[in-house]
Amino acid sequence: MSGYGWMSDRKLPRPRAELAQFQPYRTQMLKADVRINANEWPEPNVAGRYITAEELNGVLLNRYPGRGDDLREILSARWGTKSDRLILGNGSNELLLQVFLVFGGHGRKTLLFHPTYSMHGRLTQLAGGTVVEEMVGLPYEVTKERALATMAKARPEIVVFTTPNNPTGGEIDADVILAVAERFPETLVLVDEAYSDFAGKSLVSRMDEFPNMVISKTFSKVLAAAGLRVGVLIVHPDLMGYFTAAALPYNVSTLTLAVAARIARDEESIAHRLELAKRERARVLEALRRVPAIEVFPSVTNFILFRLRNEKPPDVHARFLEQSVLIRDISIWPGCDGCLRASIGTPAENDRFIAALDTVFAAPAARR
Ligand SMILES: Cc1ncc(COP(=O)(O)O)c(C=O)c1O
């Protein structure tokens, strides 16, 4: 073996101490006919709907992308804000990381109310910061008293509110978030609105009053474009300079910008998806509520959380998979003991999920 081969005594560079044991974000790439594990939009959304072969010929790949002015105009009109308050990213995760890099980092704290989206904690750590975890548990009710008391105790540089929340599916009252933003003007209040279209509510209109509040949005849910990778951060002008100084130049590709502008303008499809999600969610919720072996949590989103009363989540997850239905086992997330999460699929996929319930939750002898 040459000198470049494997050598047991060879010294290697080491990462920062807190990242030495860091585990990768786990996704479940298992094969299944019905994939309702990642809160994506389930109907196929092909790129050719938005951009023709001829239009592709007008896209110059040799040049760096522009700033996405069209896209920012369309989105700011849609959300009732100004285009110069919008920062575009390669998925909202990239922008969330930017928040933690700029306002978190070494010696600084992020407060999270669990159970919540696991990336907020991971990105805080990646940026070198420390997570303060407040366990709200299930049902997920973040009250004003609790939020203010936890803030006073933790004194974080960043606090995150995900509303509607993943994985619990319910909302956090605007009053709670705004009371925190008001009482703690030196804390950055990050509001993750990945699922807010489903609830039909947003705090964007309140940003003028609370310059310490930033709001993240994504194309991965109601805009049916998780594969495109587009996220948006809405920032008050008083803080914008810190973000632009730290931004990676040209982070969103020319092709992405072109397609995203079309997607954002397609109000008819958005209205269709909201309607479908509402209708199908009601149907799936009703079917889940009839299963005695589980406790179901109400949802305003495109997914539903449920907790097993007795059984082990990996067993139940595997039984769904035997029916070729892939849901998400989130029982290892903090505060989610015994929990599984299912996204709302197409009507046909939801039929399959609902039909699988009988087999999955039948008495053991009747199962096969
Ligand atoms: C609350 C929340 N925020 C952000 C994201 C990630 O979005 P993106 O695909 O834009 O990175 C997700 C994805 O599931 C999410 O649940």
Side-chain angles (χ1 to χ4, degrees), residues 152-173:
K153 197 161 134 220
R155 291 275 163 186
E157 280 73 20
I158 303 174
V159 59
V160 188
F161 294 102
T162 300
T163 182
N165 186 44
N166 175 13
T168 52
E171 294 170 85
I172 300 174
D173 268 355

Side-chain angles (χ1 to χ4, degrees), residues 108-113 131-134 147-159 184 187:
R108 297 167 71 100
K109 287 172 282 185
T110 300
L111 173 60
L112 303 178
F113 293 93
V131 182
V132 179
E133 304 186 304
E134 173 71 0
L148 291 173
T150 314
M151 284 292 296
K153 197 161 134 220
R155 291 275 163 186
E157 280 73 20
I158 303 174
V159 59
F184 297 91
T187 296

Side-chain angles (χ1 to χ4, degrees), residues 25 38-40 89-96 116-120 162-167 192-195 216-221 225-227 229-232 303 328 333 341:
Y25 181 77
N39 299 350
E40 297 149 320
N90 190 28
S92 63
N93 280 332
E94 183 187 73
L95 297 168
L96 298 173
T116 193
Y117 180 49
S118 60
M119 285 304 290
H120 295 141
T162 300
T163 182
N165 186 44
N166 175 13
D192 185 332
E193 289 195 353
Y195 300 96
S216 64
K217 304 247 188 202
T218 180
F219 273 51
S220 302
K221 310 300 169 187
R229 309 307 299 134
V230 183
V232 188
F303 58 86
R328 184 91 184 251
W333 290 23
R341 192 193 68 195

Side-chain angles (χ1 to χ4, degrees), residues 208-245:
D208 276 349
E209 302 154 70
F210 303 98
N212 55 329
M213 185 163 76
V214 297
I215 298 181
S216 64
K217 304 247 188 202
T218 180
F219 273 51
S220 302
K221 310 300 169 187
V222 84
L223 294 177
L228 191 64
R229 309 307 299 134
V230 183
V232 188
L233 192 68
I234 310 168
V235 175
H236 191 277
D238 292 355
L239 298 186
M240 192 51 129
Y242 302 116
F243 284 98
T244 39

Side-chain angles (χ1 to χ4, degrees), residues 51 53-66 250 252-258:
I51 191 155
E54 203 176 314
E55 282 168 329
L56 278 177
N57 283 332
V59 175
L60 293 181
L61 297 179
N62 57 309
R63 298 291 180 193
Y64 280 112
Y250 313 121
V252 183
S253 85
T254 309
L255 272 172
T256 305
L257 291 173

